[in-house]
Amino acid sequence: MTNFIKQIKAAGVVGAGGAGFPTHIKLNAEAEYLIVNAAECEPLIETDKYLCRSFAPQIVQAVLAAKAHLHAVHAVIALKGKYRAEIEALGAAIRQAGADIRLFEMGTFYPAGDEQTMVRQVTGRTVPERGLPLDVGCVVDNVGTMLSIYDATQGAPVTGKYLSVVGEVREPVMLHVPVGTPVSACVQAAQPLCGDYALILGGPMMGRVLQTPEEAAAAVVQKTTGNVIVLPREHYLIRHAALPLEAVRHQAKSACIQCRMCTDLCPRYLLGHQIRPHLVMRNLWRERTIGSGEEFLQAFGDAANCCDCGVCEMFSCPMGLSPRRVNQHMKQALRERGIQVPRREAPQARSALELRRTSTGRLISRLGLSKYNGLHAGTCIELAVDEVFIPFAQHIGKPAVPVKQAGDTVALGELLAAAAKGVSANIHASISGTVTEINENGARIRKQ
């Protein structure tokens, strides 16, 4: 393990874009391309744009360090061409450093930030079904992850998080908060405009919906939290997320008109992957009558290649159905039956790829978010709290193992839980204080 990887592991760096894969494992490789994802493709989110404007020199230094470690020939920062201020800031930092880093300007479409879509845009290569960018010589990391890598090389662990709070608030805000801060405190800092609201952690397409006040009160900021959307409880996105699976099934069986729009606009289908949501919807009524594993694979195997982007149900379907939910259900059903879906290693992108992009502007309108579009966060607010609850499973893989006990005094940045064997990541104290509660799930720290 190189010193660079040791620094990243010690700091507990994970993918900041939402996936949370431990970065010391992802970067323990060699690749021809290092691609930094600054596209921020989901509507309303402000965080990555703020980081590009505010920390461009640090991001460039991290890119150079990661490029050298990977022995990469190419380093590319990919972001939307309309992000002019961000492009100017990054370009100035690249020139000042004399860095061999290219800026790649993408169109304004969803999901521009999907790593497989980005690899195709930047390199012209197509990642295999259910594969990784490394399968075609690429490593993709979020711009927030790059900033954490820079901090790690300076000896600073991940203890804070930049995030935006948008939607039904007085104005969008950027916050810098300790990991473990109650999400409710972040919402109050943005001054919500309605009393009865629900929250989405992340973006409107793939974020986690918190339906009840109890869910909102229990939620805390994690290393992967980049945005909070405040919406009235009656908003379409909130009502849609609350639809029970059985209702989704009944709707699919009774109202699907087999128009193919869910398939024709599917980003994975356009990349050449074997995924046809309209056929999964067509066969749904047969699910409980199919006994043969081979027949079940033929009817529902395509679902395994769904990336959960939500284009099918939030944009494509004229009937307002939920192909994504059906695909998610079928992926679980395939696992329960022990059915292995064959993987195509060399998919060929379809000729309509560039013609069937989902316009972000049209998507925003379709989601009922137009009133919030175009409102941008200004300066960043440093939000201090007296108490945090820090989960030990903020990443893909095994939870970290606690190394402290209740009653211990800890300093900001001190190790709370060590990475478990295998895929895991270190967790550190985000404030100085006393550990008032600790178990396998996490630790509560209160300022002294």
Side-chain angles (χ1 to χ4, degrees), residues 68-404:
H69 169 77
L70 293 168
H71 299 120
V73 179
H74 309 283
V76 180
I77 302 176
L79 69 173
K80 292 178 181 174
K82 70 173 186 176
Y83 295 162
R84 301 320 303 174
E86 293 74 18
I87 290 170
E88 182 178 341
L90 289 167
I94 290 169
R95 290 190 296 272
Q96 183 174 3
D100 184 15
I101 300 173
R102 178 165 64 101
L103 295 179
F104 184 89
E105 298 185 19
M106 305 182 74
T108 306
F109 66 88
Y110 176 83
D114 166 58
E115 65 179 16
Q116 295 198 18
T117 297
M118 186 169 283
V119 166
R120 175 71 192 185
Q121 284 262 297
V122 172
T123 70
R125 302 171 185 176
T126 303
V127 178
E129 293 174 349
R130 302 186 303 284
L132 299 172
L134 195 59
D135 294 332
V136 291
C138 303
V139 167
V140 182
D141 256 324
N142 174 265
V143 68
T145 309
M146 284 293 130
L147 185 58
S148 294
I149 289 173
Y150 173 82
D151 290 339
T153 62
Q154 307 303 304
V158 179
T159 59
K161 184 65 182 177
Y162 290 93
L163 70 152
S164 49
V165 184
V166 301
E168 198 68 20
V169 296
R170 187 174 68 85
E171 62 179 1
V173 298
M174 278 299 308
L175 301 176
H176 185 228
V177 306
V179 170
T181 295
V183 169
S184 57
C186 300
V187 173
Q188 291 307 309
Q191 301 180 40
L193 298 178
C194 58
D196 188 25
Y197 58 78
L199 304 177
I200 302 177
L201 301 186
M205 295 293 283
M206 299 181 70
R208 175 186 164 209
V209 178
L210 305 182
Q211 299 275 0
T212 67
E214 291 76 18
E215 286 181 300
V220 297
V221 173
Q222 302 192 25
K223 295 179 184 182
T224 55
T225 308
N227 186 64
V228 179
I229 304 176
V230 183
L231 291 175
R233 198 172 300 282
E234 67 272 12
H235 192 279
Y236 164 72
L237 288 174
I238 307 303
R239 291 186 289 106
H240 180 81
L243 200 63
L245 178 60
E246 201 57 31
V248 169
R249 293 168 59 90
H250 285 306
Q251 287 182 349
K253 289 189 286 187
S254 62
C256 179
I257 60 175
Q258 286 294 293
C259 66
R260 277 192 57 105
M261 290 295 288
C262 57
T263 293
D264 289 341
L265 297 181
C266 171
R268 286 290 191 269
Y269 172 80
L270 292 170
L271 284 174
H273 292 190
Q274 181 76 9
I275 176 167
R276 297 158 297 179
H278 75 285
L279 295 184
V280 175
M281 299 288 278
R282 179 191 295 178
N283 286 309
L284 183 60
W285 69 274
R286 303 173 54 218
E287 177 193 0
R288 291 168 179 167
T289 66
I290 298 177
S292 162
E294 183 178 348
E295 187 178 357
F296 199 90
L297 173 63
Q298 185 176 4
F300 304 117
D302 284 12
N305 291 324
C306 175
C307 67
D308 298 330
C309 72
V311 167
C312 54
E313 69 182 50
M314 309 305 290
F315 184 80
S316 305
C317 183
M319 304 301 290
L321 305 181
S322 304
R324 171 174 58 179
R325 289 279 300 278
V326 173
N327 278 340
Q328 290 171 338
H329 169 69
M330 286 306 171
K331 282 193 278 189
Q332 179 62 29
L334 288 164
R335 286 192 291 268
E336 289 174 354
R337 289 185 177 226
I339 297 174
Q340 298 293 322
V341 181
R343 178 176 116 164
R344 294 195 299 170
E345 297 291 341
Q348 298 297 312
R350 291 180 165 86
S351 59
L353 174 63
E354 299 297 335
L355 301 176
R356 293 180 180 167
R357 299 289 192 196
T358 298
S359 160
T360 302
R362 291 180 62 195
L363 178 62
I364 289 170
S365 177
R366 195 71 169 264
L367 296 176
L369 299 174
S370 297
K371 67 179 289 188
Y372 312 119
N373 189 35
L375 305 175
H376 301 295
T379 57
C380 183
I381 300 170
E382 292 282 343
L383 186 63
V385 291
D386 292 329
E387 185 176 272
V388 295
F389 180 79
I390 305 176
F392 292 159
Q394 301 182 43
H395 46 267
I396 289 175
K398 299 177 183 178
V401 180
V403 298
K404 296 293 183 180

